[in-house]
Amino acid sequence: MSSVLELKNVIKTYKQGKQNLEVLSGVNLEIKSQEIIGLVGQSGSGKSTLLQIAGLLDKPTSGKVIVNGKNIEKQNDDVRTFLRRDYIGFVYQYHNLLGDFSALENVMLPMLISGKNKSDAKDRAVMLLEKMHLSHRLNHRPAELSGGEQQRVAIARALANSPKLLLADEPTGNLDPNTAEEVFVALLDIIKETGLAALIATHNMELATRMNKQFRLKAGVLQEVNEPILSKIAKNFY
């Protein structure tokens, strides 16, 4: 399996008054195609910062971010924009759908922006929404959808441009347990079906154990963990 994303000795610091606050301390991570990686850690541990750097929305203070074989430090803004648009898909805790557009139109928009013709964009949007079990909700606007339906539309939108890497930041964190399970199963199914690489941050330890690998971020340090350790983490911190 080929490498989709590599983080090499990534450090991220922020100014806090006269001091530097180190949020990420030499993070190393490699994600290969078809791998689903779970990222766990307490609130404020740096999970969102790590995802923003992996998704080229932020830059590390030092270290290398390699996406699609490209050292991002050496790439111009046009290349970074292209990779964010066509190589990486994003799913957040809140769906961020456009309220004036239907579910179908929300999924079509990224494809239209990237230059796909309307007919092809519609066909793919319909296909993705069908895979998310939303064929009966194509023409409904976000306000007419349940929370779980809104998040499934957001997942379909993230996959619109056929990305190689999916980054998800607490994708079920705003949902009740039953709806979270429904959305998570749909997310895993479509990731496996499309052969994506995925990095999913979650507080839900049970969900994390269902991914290929699990990593914990604590005090800026990233460590791979196994299922028994995850259970211990859950008891001690969550």
Side-chain angles (χ1 to χ4, degrees):
M1 294 184 289
S2 60
S3 178
V4 174
L5 169 73
E6 288 184 78
L7 304 179
K8 294 186 175 183
N9 197 31
V10 166
I11 294 173
K12 182 65 177 181
T13 60
Y14 292 100
K15 281 286 187 182
Q16 194 173 62
K18 295 183 179 180
Q19 297 182 329
N20 288 327
L21 175 64
E22 190 168 85
V23 179
L24 300 178
S25 303
V27 166
N28 291 286
L29 177 66
E30 180 180 14
I31 306 176
K32 297 181 179 180
S33 59
Q34 302 179 44
E35 278 191 329
I36 306 173
I37 306 297
L39 177 64
V40 300
Q42 291 178 285
S43 294
S45 62
K47 298 191 304 297
S48 293
T49 298
L50 192 156
L51 286 170
Q52 288 171 347
I53 289 173
L56 312 184
L57 297 171
D58 196 3
K59 295 182 179 181
T61 304
S62 64
K64 292 182 180 180
V65 179
I66 300 172
V67 178
N68 195 26
K70 296 180 174 66
N71 182 354
I72 298 306
E73 184 181 8
K74 299 179 180 178
Q75 306 304 318
N76 61 33
D77 287 342
D78 288 342
V79 172
R80 293 173 66 89
T81 298
F82 167 78
L83 289 170
R84 280 196 300 267
R85 188 191 70 192
D86 291 346
Y87 191 83
I88 304 171
F90 299 89
V91 181
Y92 299 99
Q93 181 173 348
Y94 299 98
H95 56 78
N96 296 319
L97 298 174
L98 298 175
D100 291 335
F101 295 88
S102 68
L104 181 63
E105 290 167 336
N106 267 279
V107 179
M108 288 175 63
L109 276 172
M111 292 181 276
L112 297 176
I113 291 170
S114 67
K116 190 179 289 288
N117 69 61
K118 188 174 181 179
S119 177
D120 289 344
K122 182 176 181 181
D123 288 346
R124 178 164 175 78
V126 169
M127 180 272 291
L128 288 169
L129 289 167
E130 286 177 347
K131 287 183 182 296
M132 299 305 292
H133 310 294
L134 290 170
S135 57
H136 61 303
R137 307 293 269 171
L138 299 180
N139 296 313
H140 289 70
R141 294 185 178 184
E144 301 170 309
L145 303 173
S146 69
E149 288 171 337
Q150 291 170 343
Q151 195 65 326
R152 280 184 281 153
V153 174
I155 292 167
R157 180 184 59 185
L159 300 178
N161 283 328
S162 302
K164 301 298 182 186
L165 172 65
L166 181 71
L167 301 174
D169 194 357
E170 300 286 356
T172 62
N174 198 38
L175 304 173
D176 65 80
N178 289 335
T179 304
E181 171 68 16
E182 176 186 278
V183 169
F184 190 73
V185 168
L187 176 61
L188 285 187
D189 284 347
I190 201 163
I191 289 172
K192 291 174 182 177
E193 184 175 334
T194 54
L196 278 168
L199 177 61
I200 303 174
T202 180
H203 276 92
N204 189 317
M205 296 298 162
E206 193 278 326
L207 296 185
T209 61
R210 290 151 68 181
M211 303 183 212
N212 300 131
K213 296 178 182 178
Q214 299 82 31
F215 287 81
R216 174 177 60 163
L217 193 57
K218 183 179 181 181
V221 177
L222 187 70
Q223 293 180 319
E224 186 171 2
V225 296
N226 55 36
E227 190 170 337
I229 293 176
L230 277 181
S231 298
K232 184 177 180 181
I233 294 170
K235 290 178 182 178
N236 289 340
F237 296 106
Y238 297 92

